[in-house]
Amino acid sequence: MADHRQVVAVAGVAHLGRYICEELLASPDFEVVVLARPSSNRDWLEEKGIQAFSTDYTTPSVLSILNTTNATTLISFINLNDDRYLTVHSALLAACQKSTACKRLIPSEWIGDIEAYPLKPAFYGATREPFRKKLKAQDTVTWTLFNCGWLADYFLPSAKTYIKPIDESPVDPNGWSACVRGTGDEEQSWTCGRDVGRAVVELCKAKDWEPVTYVAGEWSTFNAAIKVMEAFYDRPLPRTGKSWQEIQETLEAHAGDEELSGEAEMAQVEEMMVMGYLACPKEKTVRQREKYFAGVRFRDLCQLLHSAKEMEFV
């Protein structure tokens, strides 16, 4: 019997991409292959039995892989915050346009409300926005910009998730501390990485895509999340803070920088959380949940913490 499964190619698996790969592997509808640089570590891919193809992310290299595998969809997790983002993603798009079967593309976005705030953070405005314009200017490849707000996995001990801790996250469950930016009452949204993976699989099944897709497990605030953490673990969570004025001063100090420094990148993300830009738009997200993701159970923080307690790995 002929294999009816569609091939999905994943570029730059990293951490969130592992959940997408696992959920594609678990689906009877898809086969997954991975594009990776020759120098990348492939131990996890080999452990999962996922075939990896070496590429330099030029159009000819990617095109050859797409045609060899007969991939129909390409998903990118290549997170670059400089000019390389446009170079690499332009090559991915061109490869899809020239390919035999790969006419669907999900570029690397995975952030918040990009429709209301397309130029935030500023390093997204400089890198993602030019590529979005390229996507809109062509009609041979179907695409969507997938966004999930914060990853709820940042509230979990690192041993429980593929998602690695980041300094931008206000809550550090490993060091058991918190640094709240702004008041802590600004609305945020977050989604568990595993649930993002399941949603991406459902989206790959859908015939039609909207230009921007959102998912969210919960809308809440960091003050509320800290209370949930304290109640669940029955211990107070020591906290410090950083005011909006401090963040603004850092943004102003780096306003004329030619290159993005770590301090400037941090401040731009902090601006996003204080202004609520990382919260996915509720009305559209709920509508799309009904349209695309009715079969996905999106967990809130409390449910995720219980899952992590009951499971060795979320």
Side-chain angles (χ1 to χ4, degrees):
M1 182 181 295
D3 193 339
H4 67 282
R5 295 178 299 170
Q6 294 186 45
V7 177
V8 177
V10 177
V13 169
H15 308 128
L16 179 59
R18 292 189 178 193
Y19 283 115
I20 278 71
C21 286
E22 284 193 345
E23 293 306 315
L24 287 166
L25 279 176
S27 171
D29 300 303
F30 299 103
E31 178 183 347
V32 60
V33 298
V34 164
L35 282 65
R37 292 194 182 275
S39 59
S40 63
N41 187 307
R42 305 188 184 189
D43 292 347
W44 183 85
L45 296 173
E46 292 174 359
E47 177 188 328
K48 296 295 179 180
I50 299 173
Q51 188 172 11
F53 294 83
S54 295
T55 180
D56 58 4
Y57 289 112
T58 58
T59 298
S61 172
V62 175
L63 175 61
S64 175
I65 296 168
L66 296 181
N67 284 343
T68 297
T69 60
N70 200 35
T72 59
T73 301
L74 176 58
I75 304 174
S76 173
F77 292 94
I78 301 172
N79 182 25
L80 298 168
N81 295 328
D82 54 32
D83 293 343
R84 294 174 297 165
Y85 180 92
L86 182 59
T87 300
V88 169
H89 281 81
S90 294
L92 297 182
L93 175 60
C96 288
Q97 290 172 320
K98 296 177 180 180
S99 71
T100 303
C102 194
K103 302 304 179 184
R104 305 182 109 192
L105 174 64
I106 302 177
S108 182
E109 291 270 350
W110 316 104
I111 193 167
D113 190 351
I114 63 169
E115 291 177 290
Y117 312 103
L119 302 181
K120 296 294 183 177
F123 60 81
Y124 258 55
T127 57
R128 272 64 170 179
E129 184 64 11
F131 184 66
R132 295 168 190 158
K133 291 179 179 178
K134 276 197 155 191
L135 289 171
K136 294 173 184 176
Q138 59 82 49
D139 59 5
T140 56
V141 174
T142 300
W143 52 275
T144 190
L145 309 177
F146 196 106
N147 297 282
C148 51
W150 291 93
L151 290 171
D153 302 59
Y154 294 135
F155 295 110
L156 298 179
S158 55
K160 291 285 187 176
T161 173
Y162 286 132
I163 307 302
K164 302 303 179 186
I166 59 172
D167 292 337
E168 293 89 336
S169 176
V171 177
D172 175 11
N174 300 289
W176 196 247
S177 64
C179 178
V180 176
R181 279 70 159 189
T183 67
D185 288 326
E186 300 86 0
E187 187 175 57
Q188 316 289 330
S189 70
W190 42 70
T191 318
C192 166
R194 177 73 64 188
D195 299 344
V196 173
R198 290 168 178 163
V200 169
V201 171
E202 292 305 307
L203 191 64
C204 287
K205 297 177 185 177
K207 182 178 179 181
D208 299 311
W209 287 355
E210 297 181 27
V212 182
T213 305
Y214 296 104
V215 295
E218 181 180 21
W219 286 268
S220 187
T221 69
F222 282 116
N223 283 341
I226 288 171
K227 290 181 179 179
V228 170
M229 296 279 285
E230 290 177 327
F232 184 82
Y233 289 105
D234 194 23
R235 57 187 292 210
L237 183 64
R239 57 188 289 173
T240 57
K242 183 185 286 189
S243 70
W244 173 226
Q245 182 178 346
E246 290 177 276
I247 296 167
Q248 284 180 302
E249 290 173 355
T250 304
L251 291 170
E252 291 169 3
H254 292 279
D257 291 358
E258 293 185 4
E259 294 186 4
L260 181 67
S261 66
E263 187 178 42
E265 182 175 347
M266 171 72 80
Q268 290 179 26
V269 175
E270 290 173 333
E271 177 190 24
M272 293 280 287
M273 70 177 89
V274 171
M275 301 306 291
Y277 300 161
L278 283 161
C280 294
K282 189 173 293 185
E283 183 178 349
K284 183 169 184 176
T285 306
V286 171
R287 177 181 62 77
Q288 290 184 327
R289 181 183 293 187
E290 296 172 355
K291 178 180 179 180
Y292 294 119
F293 312 118
V296 178
R297 175 178 173 259
F298 291 99
R299 288 166 285 184
D300 62 23
L301 175 56
C302 188
Q303 291 167 331
L304 180 60
L305 292 174
H306 280 283
S307 293
K309 182 179 180 179
E310 295 165 0
M311 302 168 65
E312 183 177 345
F313 196 81
V314 175

